[in-house]
Amino acid sequence: MKIIFASAHADPDSWMKPLQALIPAAEIHPWLDGGPSIDAQLAIVWNPPQDLFLRESGLKAVFNLGAGVDAVVKLPGLAEDVAVIRLEDAGMSAQMAEYAVYALVRASRQFDEYEMQQQQQLWRPLGNIKRKEWTVGVMGMGVMGARVAQTLAGLDYPVAGWSRSAKQIPGIESYSGEGGLPVFLARTRVLINLLPLTADTTGILCRNTLAQLPGGAYVINLGRGEHLVEEDLLSLLDSGHLRGATLDVFRQEPLPKGHPFWRDRRITITPHTAAASLREETIEQVAGKIRQYMAGETLSGVVLRDRGY
């Protein structure tokens, strides 16, 4: 069986060699821009080239080196019968939970204000935290969303989750569907987005939804930059309806110089580093799934194309 490795990683050999060692029954070939088709049956990808499916038209399954598959499913030539298999966790959920804790605690414990006071050489203790007032809402209750919600609930924050279909997670309020969104937003002071990017979720963090949060709310976007309507966020910050935001993902990455987010003290920026798939765990998981595929076994992580995740 031939496998094409088409990834934007800077050092493909560091991925291909251990993958080949774990899948000795297959031939793994690197993608070469402008090269000929190798008649591959499988592909291992991350941010693959636009002509992947046009050149390798015989592909039967694609294994993505990340949880988000939006860069794969939008490529031209992807046939309906080609299975797309996403990465499941591989160390990302713990990192995402750490990041969410950092962003939430920074806001709820007023550490951002203490940073500004330090610059002014002010010694002024602020009010103690009233944890029950810091209601958290997590949008997207997959593996990572559930881990984030449970971690924050473990710190005694009131946590709710919202997802397309109802999810029952101990200690977490559950809201789902369009009907559950307004109630979810109205009780959420800190909104954390971990939704997959689909046609339905693009632009979901817009004026209409964010204005339903209580006054002084805080937004943490860990999903995709396309979830957020940037102009609406700035407008709601200027009006005082939103207090601040922590953003790890953006419509255009790297974030362009001169973008208004850079100099806005109400916004904390990180360069898409909230959670990275750990290389060894990722290689082991993908290799294991390919061995299962070759043995005709049922795989987990298969993307439902009508949902986009």
Side-chain angles (χ1 to χ4, degrees), residues 183-245:
V183 180
F184 166 82
L185 293 170
R187 53 78 59 205
T188 294
R189 182 174 180 179
V190 179
L191 182 67
I192 302 175
N193 176 51
L194 280 162
L195 288 166
L197 183 64
T198 68
D200 291 335
T201 65
T202 298
I204 194 169
L205 301 180
C206 61
R207 177 180 295 276
N208 180 48
T209 54
L210 298 179
Q212 295 181 60
L213 297 170
Y218 201 91
V219 176
I220 302 169
N221 188 20
L222 307 179
R224 287 287 188 267
E226 292 87 344
H227 285 132
L228 176 66
V229 179
E230 296 178 349
E231 298 81 0
D232 290 353
L233 174 68
L234 289 168
S235 176
L236 289 167
L237 285 169
D238 289 340
S239 72
H241 184 74
L242 295 179
R243 173 176 174 262

Side-chain angles (χ1 to χ4, degrees), residues 6 31 33 45-56 70-78:
W31 174 270
D33 289 333
V45 306
W46 176 247
N47 287 334
Q50 287 291 307
D51 54 343
L52 171 66
F53 298 110
L54 300 177
R55 186 196 299 182
E56 297 296 338
D70 44 289
V72 178
V73 298
K74 68 183 181 182
L75 292 182
L78 174 58

